[in-house]
Amino acid sequence: MYKAALGVFLLMSLTGASTPNVSGLAGRWRTQMHGALVDIKSCPDRSPCAVLVWVDQAILQGITQDVRNPDPAKRSRPLVGLPIIWGLRPSAKGWDGGRVYNPETGQTFRSSMRSLADGTLRVTGCWGPLCRSEIWSRADSAR
């Protein structure tokens, strides 16, 4: 019995059956806090990457560039098109070990993503032991 269970586990590991699928995350998502729109797609390493594609002008308050970035060379980057999530690795529960960038503060945090049963996405950013999650919902492609 033990050998059979081990064999099934190894087979699933080798075939990638337990690996999360980026295609299920691909598309446009609306953030919880500001209602910004983010596109998630597959990065070259086949992990999910997220790019900021729209932010309400009232939230931007006239700021259209990454002015709070700690790297002066990156402060002239436009906010629209800015990579905000990268480097995720598949895990048993979703995606872990990535980075999430907050252009509002210029800070980068450890990140994870989890698909939830209701079709939403939990995006978590952590700084040390402190973590904060947002629930993102699917958005239509018109904007």
Side-chain angles (χ1 to χ4, degrees), residues 101-116:
Y101 176 68
N102 181 353
E104 192 172 12
T105 64
Q107 294 175 298
T108 302
F109 304 93
R110 287 187 337 270
S111 69
S112 64
M113 290 195 310
R114 307 277 185 267
S115 294
L116 303 178

Side-chain angles (χ1 to χ4, degrees), residues 22-75:
V22 175
S23 65
L25 300 176
R28 186 152 292 175
W29 295 85
R30 183 171 301 281
T31 67
Q32 182 178 356
M33 182 179 277
H34 295 304
L37 296 178
V38 174
D39 280 350
I40 295 179
K41 62 180 182 174
S42 182
C43 283
D45 66 358
R46 300 195 315 180
S47 71
C49 288
V51 176
L52 188 62
V53 295
W54 180 86
V55 181
D56 189 315
Q57 291 301 313
I59 301 295
L60 290 176
Q61 299 176 348
I63 297 172
T64 59
Q65 295 176 318
D66 190 16
V67 297
R68 293 186 180 95
N69 195 301
D71 181 349
K74 294 181 178 179
R75 292 182 185 156

